[in-house]
Amino acid sequence: MNYRAPRGTHDIFGEDAAKMSWLEQKARDIFKKHGFEEVRTPIFEESSLFIRSVGQPTDIVEKEMYTFEDKKGRKLALRPEGTTSLVRAFIEHKMDVLMPVSKFFYAGEMFRYERPQSGRYRQFHQIGAEFFCVSSPVADAEIILLACDLLDFVGINEMEARFDNGHFFEMKVHLNSLGCRKCRHVLREKLVEYLISLSNLCENCLRRLVKNPLRILDCKTDSYKFTEIPQLSSYLCDECKHDFDLLKSLLEVAKCDYVVDNKLVRGLDYYTKTVFEICCSDILSSINSSTPIKDAVNCYDQNFKPYYIKARRMNKDLNRRITLAAGGRYDNLVKDLSGQDTPAVGFALGSERVLIVAEKFGSPEFYKSFRKFEKVYVAIADQELFKEAFSFAVKIARNGLKNSKDISVFGPINDKSLTWQLKFADKIGARKTIIFVKTEFKKGKVLVKNMENKVQTEASICEL
Ligand SMILES: [Zn+2]
Ligand SMILES: [Zn+2]
């Protein structure tokens, strides 16, 4: 029997693993600069926790949760998202009582039973942050800007500049307010009124009309019908309206490019007031070419070879955009999960998707930044120098070479010819091969072969 990774999962190795670690490390650095502390929660929790927080009538709980019973019959679920576990930990460790303000982040695997598609897996990675105890929109603004900063670091904003000032490619914050406990029902009624006026909604939508009408706006089948959704923000109560206006002005001060998006409701039950998504144009359906095209953007593949992409023009249709990060405020969740009444706001981004976009529009900087370690191969032309070469390899792995500290050392492998070793060095993408040859070694020297231009020079061992 041939074993394969379970459907919808994948092994991440080679450069993909390096990219994933690089993204998470960048995120850690940025979060720390903004005063966020890392939390690592278990990857499974009691299923009832997610049912209560995410909400029963959501796709996540209805269809996508990986649930199982352990040997004692406890009903558990692999975490489908990060916020719930973090809130549970926040309450369990009494951080709602101990700390006036708490800022946390996480990075790790999430699990959802979904139909696998490009860039979407059943085990996937998210990076997210949660800001507790501040009800002012200052916290919302900080969370949104933090998410934008992270995407900037990956080079997404730089892509926008290369794309003729966003003519083809655009990253934008889509923003909406869902209201608080006081005004939410008004928004809901207005929306239901509008939805009832539409004819021929699909079966799914009709079912949601009662249980979760906000969720209908996400329906892929019916979305084209939702052309005149009532301006929900005009039904907000005074407090919610004030907060929404203040948030918008804070984003303007920070020069953050946002748009109020009436259709944006986010599928989860726990959101209150602010919800947002950071989206970019659906560039995954763009055309590639190795010759310049008019109005195209110059990208680079992983070998820094240029290629050109002509992307779709920004499409007004909301289904034609890709969500890179999303989040919102959830002022009732901590209390709903039996904690103190604690306002909170957070976001999460999908690592796989962000990396696909970053790679598709790769710049040399993107590839250089995660390929930090230069590969060096230590080879032997004469078998009797094996131990000397071995001890040299250990030494440079520990201390680096004089001119490059960040190296990744391979070899030596004995019992193989020099030709075999050089071929292998090429295969792993070594930048240089250091060759131990008897005649040179007697003079305290080795040969250094530049694997790109194949030029070979002599170097003294103690100077390397
Ligand atoms: Zn309100
Ligand atoms: Zn529908």
Side-chain angles (χ1 to χ4, degrees):
M1 166 146 191
N2 291 324
Y3 290 107
R4 299 178 62 102
R7 185 170 148 78
T9 68
H10 66 147
D11 302 307
I12 305 172
F13 57 94
E15 288 221 322
D16 288 339
K19 282 177 212 165
M20 188 65 80
S21 309
W22 168 79
L23 178 64
E24 289 178 353
Q25 199 45 52
K26 277 275 178 239
R28 286 193 172 91
D29 291 349
I30 295 169
F31 285 138
K32 283 194 185 129
K33 283 182 188 166
H34 286 264
F36 285 73
E37 301 272 349
E38 183 162 9
V39 178
R40 298 192 188 211
T41 63
I43 61 162
F44 59 87
E45 303 268 358
E46 285 177 45
S47 345
S48 61
L49 175 71
F50 296 114
I51 297 172
R52 200 153 151 208
S53 73
V54 177
Q56 184 71 58
T58 55
D59 279 354
I60 296 181
V61 168
E62 277 184 346
K63 304 179 217 157
E64 296 168 359
M65 247 191 345
Y66 271 94
T67 50
F68 61 99
E69 271 185 27
D70 72 2
K71 289 182 176 160
K72 286 268 167 69
R74 297 179 189 97
K75 290 192 168 51
L76 302 168
L78 296 181
R79 60 183 183 198
E81 53 108 48
T83 303
T84 303
S85 305
L86 225 105
V87 170
R88 196 262 313 133
F90 177 80
I91 299 166
E92 185 174 337
H93 302 287
K94 301 201 165 42
M95 291 184 257
D96 50 345
V97 186
L98 298 172
M99 295 292 289
V101 174
S102 303
K103 293 154 91 170
F104 298 110
F105 73 89
Y106 59 88
E109 294 82 0
M110 306 293 156
F111 305 84
R112 284 188 206 174
Y113 193 86
E114 283 186 285
R115 202 166 59 84
Q117 328 170 9
S118 141
R120 189 175 286 185
Y121 299 98
R122 289 180 176 172
Q123 176 175 333
F124 57 100
H125 295 76
Q126 281 192 341
I127 295 171
E130 315 294 344
F131 191 154
F132 292 100
C133 312
V134 175
S135 59
S136 155
V138 169
D140 307 47
E142 182 167 343
I143 281 287
I144 293 173
L145 294 171
L146 186 60
C148 290
D149 273 8
L150 240 160
L151 294 170
D152 274 0
F153 251 98
V154 185
I156 303 227
N157 241 17
E158 179 252 355
M159 288 172 203
E160 188 173 321
R162 282 193 288 148
F163 259 80
D164 186 20
N165 295 324
H167 200 76
F168 291 100
F169 183 88
E170 185 178 53
M171 186 177 96
K172 248 202 170 91
V173 177
H174 290 243
L175 200 64
N176 201 7
S177 174
L178 301 180
C180 62
R181 272 202 173 139
K182 281 181 286 172
C183 59
R184 198 176 182 162
H185 67 278
V186 185
L187 272 65
R188 220 173 133 117
E189 275 161 27
K190 293 286 168 200
L191 188 66
V192 171
E193 237 167 65
Y194 164 74
L195 290 168
I196 288 176
S197 75
L198 300 172
S199 52
N200 301 328
L201 286 180
C202 76
E203 221 170 275
N204 229 344
C205 286
L206 289 175
R207 200 168 48 92
R208 282 177 171 152
L209 207 48
V210 190
K211 281 158 81 186
N212 193 356
L214 289 183
R215 199 55 228 257
I216 293 179
L217 299 185
D218 291 339
C219 177
K220 300 250 174 343
T221 327
D222 294 323
S223 66
Y224 73 94
K225 296 176 189 163
F226 308 142
T227 46
E228 282 159 72
I229 300 169
Q231 195 76 42
L232 294 183
S233 50
S234 57
Y235 301 106
L236 294 171
C237 70
D238 287 346
E239 187 197 311
C240 288
K241 193 174 178 318
H242 168 268
D243 282 1
F244 196 42
D245 289 341
L246 181 54
L247 172 60
K248 287 187 280 184
S249 67
L250 288 172
L251 293 178
E252 276 153 31
V253 168
K255 302 216 177 338
C256 173
D257 200 7
Y258 76 88
V259 55
V260 175
D261 182 348
N262 233 351
K263 257 187 169 178
L264 180 67
V265 291
R266 305 289 305 148
L268 310 184
D269 257 8
Y270 54 61
Y271 285 120
T272 50
K273 295 186 179 172
T274 313
V275 282
F276 70 92
E277 283 184 2
I278 306 175
C279 306
C280 71
S281 339
D282 181 4
I283 42 102
L284 299 183
S285 47
S286 53
I287 311 157
N288 291 352
S289 166
S290 54
T291 48
I293 327 166
K294 192 172 172 280
D295 296 332
V297 76
N298 185 198
C299 302
Y300 296 86
D301 71 9
Q302 49 182 326
N303 300 314
F304 306 136
K305 219 176 90 199
Y307 66 98
Y308 299 84
I309 286 185
K310 183 163 183 170
R312 283 174 194 277
R313 271 167 197 273
M314 189 60 182
N315 200 309
K316 292 274 177 290
D317 182 353
L318 297 183
N319 289 331
R320 287 277 167 77
R321 61 175 208 229
I322 301 172
T323 303
L324 299 170
R329 180 165 277 284
Y330 49 96
D331 286 345
N332 304 322
L333 185 59
V334 180
K335 201 175 174 194
D336 284 350
L337 296 178
S338 315
Q340 303 282 319
D341 198 355
T342 309
V345 54
F347 86 95
L349 67 77
S351 307
E352 276 85 358
R353 208 178 278 193
V354 166
L355 285 173
I356 285 178
V357 172
E359 184 165 13
K360 191 88 179 174
F361 285 85
S363 61
E365 289 68 37
F366 168 69
Y367 288 108
K368 274 180 200 153
S369 50
F370 70 81
R371 273 186 206 151
K372 195 179 158 200
F373 292 88
E374 188 181 306
K375 286 177 181 166
V376 174
Y377 189 80
V378 179
I380 38 175
D382 298 288
Q383 294 296 334
E384 64 242 58
L385 292 177
F386 178 63
K387 280 185 186 158
E388 286 79 3
F390 175 75
S391 94
F392 174 77
V394 171
K395 194 191 111 199
I396 62 168
R398 284 177 181 154
N399 309 321
L401 289 167
K402 202 173 233 167
N403 295 324
S404 46
K405 293 282 166 238
D406 294 322
I407 55 166
S408 174
V409 185
F410 291 76
I413 296 173
N414 60 349
D415 308 334
K416 297 285 181 198
S417 70
L418 184 60
T419 322
W420 186 96
Q421 296 176 69
L422 288 172
K423 262 192 199 150
F424 179 66
D426 259 336
K427 203 164 198 172
I428 57 167
R431 284 281 187 79
K432 57 176 91 145
T433 300
I434 298 171
I435 311 165
F436 279 69
V437 190
K438 212 156 69 180
T439 43
E440 264 74 27
F441 187 72
K442 278 186 189 147
K443 296 179 265 169
K445 288 185 172 173
V446 283
L447 295 177
V448 178
K449 184 165 186 169
N450 179 325
M451 300 305 281
E452 270 150 37
N453 58 21
K454 307 292 175 200
V455 174
Q456 205 163 280
T457 47
E458 248 187 30
S460 137
I461 297 176
C462 51
E463 276 167 23
L464 279 170

